Amino acid sequence: MTVTTGGALPGAPYDVTVVGAGVVGSAIARELARLPLRIALVDASGDVGDGTSKANTAILHTGFDAVPGSLESRLVRDGQRRLAAFAADSGIPVEPLGALLVAWDEEQRAALPGLAAKAVRNGYRSARIIPAEEVRAREPELGPGVLGALHVPDESIICPWTTTLAYATQAVRAGTDLHLNCRLQSLTPGDPHVLSTSRGPLRTRHLVNAAGLYADEVDRLMGRADFTVTPRRGQLIVFDELARGLVRHILLPVPGALGKGVLVSPTVYGNVMLGPTAEDLDDKTATGSTAEGIALLREKGRRILPALLEEEATAVYAGLRAATGSEDYAVRAHPALRYVTVGGIRSTGLTASMAIAAHVVELLADGGLAVSGAKDLEPVRMPNLGEAFPRPYRDQRLIAADPEYGRIVCHCERVTRGEIRDALTGTVPPGSLDGLRRRTRARGGRCQGFYCGAAVRALFEEGRR
Ligand SMILES: Cc1cc2nc3c(=O)[nH]c(=O)nc-3n(C[C@H](O)[C@H](O)[C@H](O)COP(=O)(O)OP(=O)(O)OC[C@H]3O[C@@H](n4cnc5c(N)ncnc54)[C@H](O)[C@@H]3O)c2cc1C
């Protein structure tokens, strides 16, 4: 098992290198790890899942509203099935709450039959239109003026952080080399391709570009210019867990021209999120929140669920979608170059990740990669971060066997020393306090680390020694 965060890279060529250890690249590395090949997964960051994959709305979509016939439609549908099964096996929290697409005016109500028909064209047959009274019975706290809704019973919420970590963990345990703090800077195509990285050269026969927002730039290093990524920012507000009782479903708007619109959704961590905005920008690092963005969300949220706005917000954050101007993914295979680019994975990449991975391996095979001899991977069991499932601080048997699970460090999120220790000694340990939060929830609650920050930092620094 190899995870490296510094120093020179191995000199021998890899069979396949995946650039980008977000949810998509990690899923691809995991799928490749089933094969008897030398695989590298590299990321510029010091952790996996540190880009867009850490900041989304965390919905496991059914794909009911995709563009029928698109690659995205197929991969979201397939990915949802794959990830739901993988999550159940590996302990990734998922809650199948269902979604309500709420119509607030006549135009939106008139759009519901078309959306129901579109769901069928996308292979999803369980969506149905429900009248205002049923919507209100299901969601008593909705604001006034509801005219009806499309009920999509299989939309679910999921933990995005554990998903990426589970993929990377399984890949590394199966022999993949994960090289972090390793930015691809330039490359010389050839056989092997020679990648010039911030940690020196890396040679590889096949290359997968899963660089998210930077996939267009990596594409150009390869002599291609198939698409341009325009970051589309999504700002979100997270409300305290006291708001959780206000909402039972994922509340979606009827979609508009700029995508899925602003939603209200419970999270698996037991709080409620409101967002995201959709702002086209030209800065791929602009993950800050703005006063205008937050004001817009509050205005929209007040219409959807007025009581939510009376609750305390614990955090705001923003993620950048890798939009390309196309209504579909930009997955391109270049068999002669032994190169696959996985671009434009905008707002459904978490859901589709496992299906994208299977698709990419097929494309690599077209470029001559030997894909015979696939083995089953050793199952992984991830620590549970979900509020709807047993957590260590409540497990008397676990605490009796190991008292560290009874010693709470982060009181808002009820995270124990045992969980922090496990994260720090895990297969893919965190590279930062934020990475530790994504593995344990420590510092993620109401006080945002005001009370527990020093203790968590001390454990983090001690654990890294
Ligand atoms: C606001 C918002 C809400 C969303 N909601 C949902 C949702 O509810 N459900 C859903 O399924 N999807 C959702 N998505 C989409 C989903 O989050 C993305 O599709 C997914 O995270 C993309 O993953 P990725 O691995 O392609 O990109 P990233 O996570 O960005 O990973 C790319 C990685 O490449 C690395 N990298 C870049 N350049 C280089 C380089 N030169 N060298 C080395 N490494 C490099 C980066 O460091 C990064 O870690 C949402 C997205 C946003 C922004």
Side-chain angles (χ1 to χ4, degrees):
M1 286 195 288
T2 311
V3 180
T4 70
T5 54
L9 300 165
Y14 286 100
D15 294 305
V16 190
T17 295
V18 181
V19 176
V23 73
V24 171
S26 299
I28 296 168
R30 173 191 171 278
E31 190 65 29
L32 287 165
R34 292 154 41 83
L35 302 168
L37 299 171
R38 290 194 70 231
I39 310 295
L41 173 63
V42 305
D43 201 289
S45 168
D47 202 351
V48 300
D50 205 20
T52 297
S53 299
K54 73 179 175 193
N56 52 46
T57 43
I59 295 170
L60 184 57
H61 294 293
T62 56
F64 76 95
D65 58 347
V67 176
S70 63
L71 180 66
E72 182 174 19
S73 166
R74 176 162 72 81
L75 297 183
V76 167
R77 200 165 63 245
D78 182 23
Q80 191 247 3
R81 279 193 288 266
R82 288 175 187 253
L83 180 49
F86 178 67
D89 289 347
S90 53
I92 298 167
V94 172
E95 291 182 52
L97 301 180
L100 293 175
L101 242 91
V102 182
W104 297 94
D105 58 38
E106 280 303 337
E107 196 181 328
Q108 292 179 358
R109 179 157 65 178
L112 296 182
L115 286 163
K118 191 179 190 187
V120 173
R121 293 210 302 287
N122 280 313
Y124 183 73
R125 295 179 187 284
S126 305
R128 68 182 180 98
I129 296 170
I130 58 173
E133 314 78 73
E134 186 178 341
V135 182
R136 201 153 282 295
R138 286 176 171 274
E139 289 291 354
E141 296 292 339
L142 276 176
V146 175
L147 298 181
L150 184 70
H151 181 218
V152 188
D154 299 293
E155 293 277 298
S156 305
I157 56 174
I158 186 168
C159 176
W161 304 327
T162 314
T163 304
T164 307
L165 187 63
Y167 293 158
T169 299
Q170 227 182 1
V172 169
R173 288 188 188 163
T176 299
D177 286 352
L178 171 62
H179 300 303
L180 298 168
N181 300 314
C182 185
R183 178 181 298 281
L184 171 63
Q185 292 163 325
S186 62
L187 72 81
T188 310
D191 191 4
H193 306 301
V194 182
L195 278 55
S196 174
T197 80
S198 50
R199 291 179 49 193
L202 183 149
R203 291 171 184 77
T204 187
R205 292 217 61 228
H206 297 259
L207 181 65
V208 178
N209 167 8
L213 291 165
Y214 298 88
D216 55 345
E217 294 171 33
V218 171
D219 217 35
R220 281 168 184 65
L221 295 181
M222 205 60 182
R224 310 290 318 181
D226 290 345
F227 58 91
T228 299
V229 175
T230 306
R232 180 171 294 164
R233 181 165 59 194
Q235 303 186 45
L236 292 118
I237 306 176
V238 180
F239 288 88
D240 189 62
E241 53 193 41
L242 291 174
R244 179 65 185 84
L246 296 175
V247 55
R248 302 168 185 170
H249 303 74
I250 302 159
L251 300 178
L252 301 172
V254 174
L258 262 185
K260 294 179 193 299
V262 172
L263 59 84
V264 173
S265 176
T267 73
V268 294
Y269 320 113
N271 39 32
V272 177
M273 70 168 83
L274 167 66
T277 58
E279 311 151 57
D280 284 335
L281 307 171
D282 50 18
D283 179 358
K284 292 180 178 177
T285 62
T287 51
S289 300
T290 63
E292 300 77 44
I294 299 305
L296 176 91
L297 292 179
R298 293 186 70 86
E299 183 197 319
K300 300 232 179 214
R302 185 164 286 116
R303 171 96 200 256
I304 304 167
L305 208 64
L308 182 64
L309 276 296
E310 306 304 317
E311 299 293 332
E312 270 183 46
T314 54
V316 293
Y317 67 94
L320 300 175
R321 308 170 189 83
T324 60
S326 155
E327 286 298 300
D328 202 356
Y329 293 164
V331 179
R332 308 269 188 272
H334 304 285
L337 282 172
R338 300 177 315 286
Y339 170 60
V340 176
T341 181
V342 191
I345 313 295
R346 302 156 298 150
S347 48
T348 51
L350 166 63
T351 305
S353 49
M354 294 184 90
I356 295 172
H359 181 58
V360 166
V361 173
E362 284 170 13
L363 297 175
L364 286 167
D366 294 343
L369 184 73
V371 293
S372 58
K375 61 176 191 290
D376 286 340
L377 295 170
E378 280 292 310
V380 282
R381 194 72 203 164
M382 303 304 291
N384 167 46
L385 302 190
E387 228 22 58
F389 303 92
R391 297 199 46 218
Y393 77 95
R394 299 168 87 166
D395 187 335
Q396 290 308 324
R397 278 228 307 263
L398 188 66
I399 295 167
D402 182 346
E404 290 294 85
Y405 293 115
R407 298 179 63 191
I408 292 182
V409 183
C410 165
H411 286 265
C412 298
E413 298 293 280
R414 297 163 297 276
V415 182
T416 66
R417 281 179 70 109
E419 290 164 279
I420 292 175
R421 174 204 62 202
D422 293 350
L424 292 169
T425 54
T427 303
V428 183
S432 65
L433 283 172
D434 276 349
L436 182 59
R437 177 172 52 82
R438 294 196 293 274
R439 286 160 176 81
T440 60
R441 291 173 47 181
R443 296 164 57 252
R446 187 172 317 166
C447 87
Q448 291 286 293
F450 186 83
Y451 290 106
C452 65
V456 174
R457 176 178 287 279
L459 289 172
F460 175 71
E461 280 167 7
E462 192 183 308
R464 275 162 51 102
R465 257 186 239 130

